[in-house]
Amino acid sequence: MTARLNPYLSFRNNAREAMEFYKDVFGGELTVSTFADFQASQTSDSPRAEVRDLGRLKPVEPMARRMGVPLLGAHQVYVMKHGWEYHTAWCQVVADKWGHVPGGLLVTLLADVGARTPCRECDRPLNTAG
Ligand SMILES: [Zn+2]
């Protein structure tokens, strides 16, 4: 009957030296992994840390609605609840959002778009709002 032993030894600061010492004494293979190896994704380089603060959404009432479709007034833009862009026109992106998740389409003031960037599709607005 054989028993497999997986020891977990904890050293403060000098673990590598200690393991190399034991390897010299007992022989065998030494595989060294550091906490830094496993926690690399938790450093400030991780994608999570790069999530930008877009600014708090401050929805306003659209100037008007036509068959439920919110129409922009002066200084108003469309934003998505989870979007990085703002829209100055009823573009394909806005129309798609309205078609699939109308509740995710909001109207806010241009002054309140925060770090959101202008949508390129808005250069080619659709003729009809809905
Ligand atoms: Zn757009």
Side-chain angles (χ1 to χ4, degrees):
M1 181 178 153
T2 56
R4 178 173 284 261
L5 195 61
N6 290 312
Y8 185 97
L9 304 175
S10 183
F11 295 85
R12 185 177 290 273
N13 298 326
N14 60 350
R16 186 183 296 271
E17 291 91 326
M19 288 300 105
E20 283 165 355
F21 170 77
Y22 288 124
K23 178 181 176 293
D24 285 345
V25 173
F26 298 112
E29 284 290 308
L30 178 63
T31 303
V32 176
S33 300
T34 67
F35 278 106
D37 292 339
F38 297 114
Q39 294 177 344
S41 65
Q42 292 177 15
T43 66
S44 58
D45 296 332
S46 73
R48 252 187 93 168
E50 288 171 12
V51 169
R52 291 195 298 173
D53 181 12
L54 297 173
R56 202 166 63 85
L57 274 178
K58 299 178 213 166
V60 297
E61 263 306 297
M63 175 193 72
R65 288 180 188 273
R66 189 165 68 210
M67 293 172 66
V69 174
L71 302 179
L72 297 180
H75 310 297
Q76 290 185 341
V77 294
Y78 296 112
V79 288
M80 315 287 179
K81 262 183 191 169
H82 304 290
W84 289 43
E85 298 180 320
Y86 65 87
H87 304 264
T88 55
W90 188 268
C91 71
Q92 189 62 56
V93 178
V94 174
D96 286 348
K97 187 71 176 181
W98 180 254
H100 294 105
V101 194
L105 182 64
L106 304 172
V107 173
T108 191
L109 295 176
L110 182 59
D112 290 333
V113 296
R116 291 171 186 81
T117 54
C119 162
R120 292 170 153 240
E121 284 293 310
C122 286
D123 291 340
R124 296 181 291 135
L126 304 183
N127 285 332
T128 54

